Amino acid sequence: MSVRGVIRLADWTIGPDRATDMPAPTRRIECTTCGRPSAPSPSQVVTDRWAIDHAARTGHRAFRELAAAFLRVSPAPGNPLRRKEGDR
């Protein structure tokens, strides 16, 4: 394996991967008392409603939110790699 080069102190950006085949970000809420999770959903209203209903049914009041999104790191303007990759 060879190293082509190292670029130090170059600017990068990170953000949503907007490729058309990437799924939308999802969130899930998990009860920290019993471990039961909500179904994954892109809607915060849906997962929050699940937590409220779960709390009403069980008395459990502590939850953890888990979110998943696909991200892409890209060379920022001024980074020499940006010219090689184009404006993806």
Side-chain angles (χ1 to χ4, degrees), residues 4 10 20-21 23 25 29-31 34 36 42 47 49-51 58 86-87:
R4 289 191 226 169
T20 57
D21 58 343
I29 292 182
E30 197 174 86
C31 176
C34 70
R36 186 169 175 193
T47 56
R49 183 67 193 180
W50 177 88
T58 64
D87 292 332

Side-chain angles (χ1 to χ4, degrees), residues 4 8 19 22 31-32 34-35 38-39 45 47 50 52-54 58 62-63 69 71-72 79 81 83:
R4 289 191 226 169
R8 295 178 192 256
M22 289 293 135
C31 176
T32 59
C34 70
S38 70
V45 172
T47 56
W50 177 88
I52 291 166
D53 290 345
H54 183 76
T58 64
F63 297 89
L71 303 174
R72 178 171 292 278
N79 183 324
L81 291 176
R83 281 179 266 133

